[in-house]
Amino acid sequence: MIKLFNLAKPVDMSSGFKDFFDTIGMTGGGLVTKGVAAVIAVIAVRMLLQLSNDPKGALRKGSMAVGTLFVAIILALYGDTLFSTVTAAKTS
């Protein structure tokens, strides 16, 4: 007879997306921030792949693509901290 074993403990996800975000350690806003950063990174890589043969234009477009990729990386790393002040604003 085969003995089965659990690889992970069962998690109650009856309250929907809040439980899911708690299990992955991210809020809904953090997930949106990571998604936006991923889309910007894809756009930057596409910009890098479409460089022209003109050296001056390629340098200009390449520097814009590297700057866009830098913005995407910063947004992915620190986006939840940057936008936490906007979402947690208190009114007096």
Side-chain angles (χ1 to χ4, degrees):
M1 187 166 160
I2 298 174
K3 183 177 180 181
L4 298 175
F5 57 93
N6 289 333
L7 293 176
K9 68 177 184 173
V11 177
D12 178 29
M13 296 228 180
S14 59
S15 68
F17 284 113
K18 183 183 179 315
D19 286 333
F20 171 71
F21 291 137
D22 288 342
T23 58
I24 63 173
M26 190 177 295
T27 62
L31 191 64
V32 169
T33 304
K34 300 282 189 228
V36 169
V39 169
I40 292 174
V42 167
I43 291 170
V45 169
R46 183 178 161 103
M47 288 169 64
L48 278 173
L49 293 175
Q50 290 183 341
L51 295 179
S52 63
N53 291 333
D54 176 35
K56 194 179 213 181
L59 184 63
R60 184 179 302 129
K61 287 182 181 180
S63 63
M64 285 181 63
V66 169
T68 305
L69 192 59
F70 178 74
V71 168
I73 291 171
I74 294 300
L75 187 61
L77 292 175
Y78 303 111
D80 53 346
T81 307
L82 289 171
F83 295 121
S84 67
T85 58
V86 175
T87 58
K90 295 180 181 178
T91 58
S92 44

